[in-house]
């Protein structure tokens, strides 16, 4: 079986000084992934063991990624974490603590990548704390697998900082899984399976690269962001309710997914797009059916999501072949797979029937794709097969990407932290609502009046 292949170069560790103590820092990036055969439900929630295996494509980090800088120093009194410019309480997250604990338990010597000199010995790590600065360039907790990218980034970055040997690459998959189940699939590029495993301790529940990112260069991805706000029911809460209440979920895991996974792996290996598209759409539909079968039901898709489903089926029928497939994770956002030769048609259909709030000219980097979009007619039959009026503004924006590599080391120029380990960028303070601003102004005026009276006395 193929294993997870991670970069084998030594950490690009940089050394700075803070409070007369050295600060060791490095930066990595990690991609998000989109499951084509989905996992939903855990048999052990503590260490994230799934009730079924799954498989996903890794999206190109050129477009969607998490960047994480980790810094360690004896001058740090405690571990700290900043996510998208806002500090989070490390100790409040069981999942973050699990990743820290598991990486630290495997710590080795940290060596200078140029000279080989030992910077931190294995037995010295207890005296150092770690500061983590992490940013996503896509919406967090909106159903775009931000947790997968985030925990893969955290695991990979800490493993490089703590000098874990390359021989432990498979164990990193298990550690990332403890943070977020699907994070184990974001460590590798291309087409990646997560085998559920059978053991209670989870050592056989890990990712496996089926094909690397170079296997199918014609495969293209469009992400239609219907909502970039945080979803009301988290994946963790939703899947636990499904496990407790949905008979359909149990049937799916035992009777449907194993055969579907085998079909999907074979179809991807042979580059059978029609079969891949059919399987991913059937699986997405069944996943959301289990959410509906949950009691009380969990709704992740909305009216725009369902309209996109209808449009894709109409487009395939109008084209006379399968030119596009859809999948929806735990959120309303659509991920469309297509091939390079069909990309202008699929993009034209999406842009025509779901004109985004931010025009595609502002979100697509490819000038040739934009030119092709303007010159590509839609299939004549589409208007009769999908006669609905355009849902203008139902989609916020459209991403275009393809399949890409897994977690990777970045140069110092992309560091998110200063030499002292603190974030280079912090989130702006939230603006006060108008009524709150008026109230604060009234309080200030009242306080001024009181102060004036006191002064006159």
């Amino acid at each position: 079986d193929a294993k997870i292949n991670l970069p084998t170069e030594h950490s690009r560790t940089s050394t700075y000084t803070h409070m007369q103590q050295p600060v060791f820092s490095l930066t990595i990036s990690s991609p998000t992934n989109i499951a084509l055969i989905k996992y939903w439900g855990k048999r052990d929630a503590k260490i994230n063991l799934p009730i079924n295996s799954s498989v996903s494509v890794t999206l190109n980090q050129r477009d969607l990624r998490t960047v994480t800088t980790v810094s360690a120093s004896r001058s740090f009194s405690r571990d700290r974490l900043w996510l998208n410019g806002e500090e989070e309480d490390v100790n409040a997250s069981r999942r973050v603590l699990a990743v820290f604990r598991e990486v630290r338990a495997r710590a080795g010597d940290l060596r200078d990548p140029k000279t080989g000199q030992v910077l931190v010995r294995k037995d010295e790590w207890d005296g150092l704390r770690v500061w983590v600065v992490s940013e996503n360039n896509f919406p967090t907790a909106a159903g775009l697998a931000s947790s997968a990218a985030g925990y893969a980034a955290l695991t990979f970055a800490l493993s490089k900082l703590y000098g874990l040997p390359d021989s432990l690459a498979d164990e990193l998959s298990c550690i990332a899984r403890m943070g977020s189940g699907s994070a184990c699939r974001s460590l590798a590029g291309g087409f990646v399976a997560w085998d559920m495993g059978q053991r209670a301790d989870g050592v056989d529940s890990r990712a496996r690269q089926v094909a690397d990112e170079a296997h199918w260069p014609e495969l293209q991805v469009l992400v239609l962001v219907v909502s970039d706000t945080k979803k009301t029911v988290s994946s963790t809460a939703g899947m636990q309710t499904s496990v407790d209440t949905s008979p359909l979920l149990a049937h799916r895991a035992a009777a449907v997914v194993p055969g579907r996974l085998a079909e999907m792996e074979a179809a991807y290996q042979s580059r059978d797009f029609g079969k891949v598209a059919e399987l991913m759409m059937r699986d997405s539909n069944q996943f959301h059916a289990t959410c509906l079968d949950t009691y009380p039901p969990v709704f992740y898709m909305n009216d725009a999501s369902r309209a996109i489903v209808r449009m894709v089926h109409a487009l395939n029928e109008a084209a006379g072949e399968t030119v596009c497939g859809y999948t929806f994770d735990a959120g309303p956002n659509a991920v469309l797979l297509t091939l390079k030769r069909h990309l202008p048609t699929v993009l034209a259909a999406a842009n025509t029937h779901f004109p985004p709030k931010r025009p595609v000219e502002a979100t697509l980097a490819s000038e040739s794709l934009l030119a092709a979009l303007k010159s590509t007619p839609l299939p004549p039959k589409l208007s009769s097969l999908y006669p609905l009026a355009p849902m203008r503004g139902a989609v916020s924006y459209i991403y275009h990407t393809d399949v890409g590599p897994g977690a990777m080391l970045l140069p110092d120029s992309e560091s998110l932290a200063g030499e002292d380990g603190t974030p280079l960028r912090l989130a702006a303070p939230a603006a006060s609502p108008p009524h709150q601003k008026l109230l604060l102004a009234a309080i200030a005026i009242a306080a001024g009046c009181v102060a004036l009276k006191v002064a006159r006395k």
Side-chain angles (χ1 to χ4, degrees):
D1 291 341
K3 294 185 177 181
I4 294 294
N5 294 312
L6 297 175
T8 56
E9 61 183 298
H10 292 294
S11 305
R12 294 174 179 164
T13 310
S14 297
T15 305
Y16 307 106
T17 302
H18 178 242
M19 296 177 65
Q20 299 182 332
Q21 291 288 344
V23 177
F24 308 104
S25 179
L26 62 89
T27 301
I28 66 96
S29 67
S30 183
T32 185
N33 70 77
I34 297 298
L36 304 187
I37 305 296
K38 302 185 185 302
Y39 113 87
W40 191 249
K42 303 171 185 177
R43 68 180 191 273
D44 186 326
K46 186 176 181 180
I47 55 176
N48 284 341
L49 298 183
I51 64 172
N52 65 267
S53 299
S54 56
V55 71
S56 62
V57 290
T58 301
L59 302 187
N60 201 313
Q61 295 178 62
R62 176 189 63 239
D63 307 289
L64 302 168
R65 69 175 183 171
T66 293
V67 175
T68 297
T69 297
V70 289
S71 305
S73 178
R74 292 179 180 85
S75 67
F76 299 163
S77 61
R78 59 189 173 93
D79 295 328
R80 299 177 73 180
L81 167 66
W82 289 266
L83 175 60
N84 294 327
E86 295 184 358
E87 186 165 10
E88 307 282 337
D89 184 358
V90 172
N91 294 316
S93 173
R94 173 182 60 81
R95 301 190 294 171
V96 171
L97 291 175
V99 173
F100 268 96
R101 180 187 68 245
E102 296 299 323
V103 172
R104 282 170 168 159
R106 297 163 173 80
D109 294 337
L110 176 63
R111 295 179 178 273
D112 186 298
K114 296 180 180 178
T115 66
Q117 175 189 357
V118 174
L119 302 174
V120 181
R121 295 196 311 271
K122 177 180 178 180
D123 58 2
E124 293 179 321
W125 280 113
D126 284 346
L128 287 78
R129 297 296 94 188
V130 174
W131 290 0
V132 180
V133 183
S134 190
E135 292 182 1
N136 300 327
N137 70 347
F138 59 97
T140 299
L144 289 174
S146 58
S147 64
Y151 278 101
L154 178 64
T155 301
F156 187 59
L158 290 177
S159 75
K160 290 298 182 182
L161 180 68
Y162 277 89
L164 270 65
D166 298 328
S167 60
L168 296 182
D170 280 349
E171 292 188 34
L172 291 189
S173 176
C174 295
I175 297 172
R177 186 205 69 223
M178 293 181 188
S180 173
S182 54
C184 66
R185 297 192 308 250
S186 275
L187 287 171
F191 190 62
V192 185
W194 172 16
D195 297 324
M196 62 178 286
Q198 301 297 327
R199 292 181 48 161
D201 61 4
V203 297
D204 58 348
S205 181
R206 58 180 58 173
R208 169 176 53 86
Q209 189 179 52
V210 178
D212 66 20
E213 60 272 19
H215 174 73
W216 200 354
E218 293 82 10
L219 202 62
Q220 302 291 296
V221 182
L222 291 175
V223 182
L224 277 59
V225 179
V226 173
S227 173
D228 56 7
T229 59
K230 189 173 182 179
K231 54 198 175 192
T232 56
V233 179
S234 70
S235 298
T236 299
M239 68 174 64
Q240 187 56 53
T241 306
S242 294
V243 168
D244 293 340
T245 64
S246 172
L248 177 58
L249 179 65
H251 170 74
R252 164 183 158 77
V256 179
V257 169
R260 188 172 281 169
L261 276 169
E263 286 187 85
M264 178 62 85
E265 286 196 28
Y268 197 95
Q269 290 279 29
S270 63
R271 303 181 186 88
D272 184 345
F273 180 76
K275 191 63 176 178
V276 167
E278 177 189 348
L279 289 169
M280 67 183 280
M281 290 188 286
R282 286 184 178 275
D283 197 74
S284 178
N285 295 343
Q286 189 181 64
F287 158 56
H288 287 279
T290 65
C291 294
L292 186 60
D293 188 51
T294 299
Y295 191 82
V298 181
F299 302 99
Y300 289 117
M301 296 173 68
N302 60 19
D303 288 345
S305 308
R306 289 183 284 272
I308 293 169
V309 168
R310 183 175 175 183
M311 186 274 290
V312 169
H313 284 288
L315 177 62
N316 287 335
E317 184 176 350
E321 62 176 315
T322 301
V323 300
C324 181
Y326 59 76
T327 189
F328 294 80
D329 276 354
N333 303 312
V335 177
L336 308 183
L337 254 62
T338 186
L339 299 175
K340 282 183 180 178
R341 64 180 181 271
H342 300 311
L343 178 60
T345 299
V346 176
L347 179 57
N351 192 53
T352 298
H353 293 286
F354 303 93
K357 294 177 183 176
R358 290 181 63 190
V360 292
E361 290 80 4
T363 58
L364 300 182
S366 172
E367 294 293 335
S368 60
L369 179 56
L370 288 171
L373 169 64
K374 295 176 182 178
S375 62
T376 299
L378 293 175
K381 293 182 180 179
L382 182 59
S383 59
S384 59
L385 293 170
Y386 187 79
L388 301 183
M391 296 182 68
R392 189 172 300 278
V395 169
S396 296
Y397 42 93
I398 298 174
Y399 286 120
H400 165 240
T401 187
D402 53 12
V403 181
M408 63 178 66
L409 291 157
L410 297 179
D412 288 345
S413 59
E414 296 201 50
S415 175
L416 301 178
E419 294 185 0
D420 61 353
T422 58
L424 294 174
R425 293 181 293 274
L426 290 173
S432 301
H435 66 276
Q436 185 176 342
K437 291 180 179 178
L438 290 174
L439 177 60
L440 292 173
I443 292 173
I445 292 171
C449 291
V450 171
L452 181 60
K453 290 180 179 180
V454 171
R456 286 176 175 175
K457 288 182 180 180

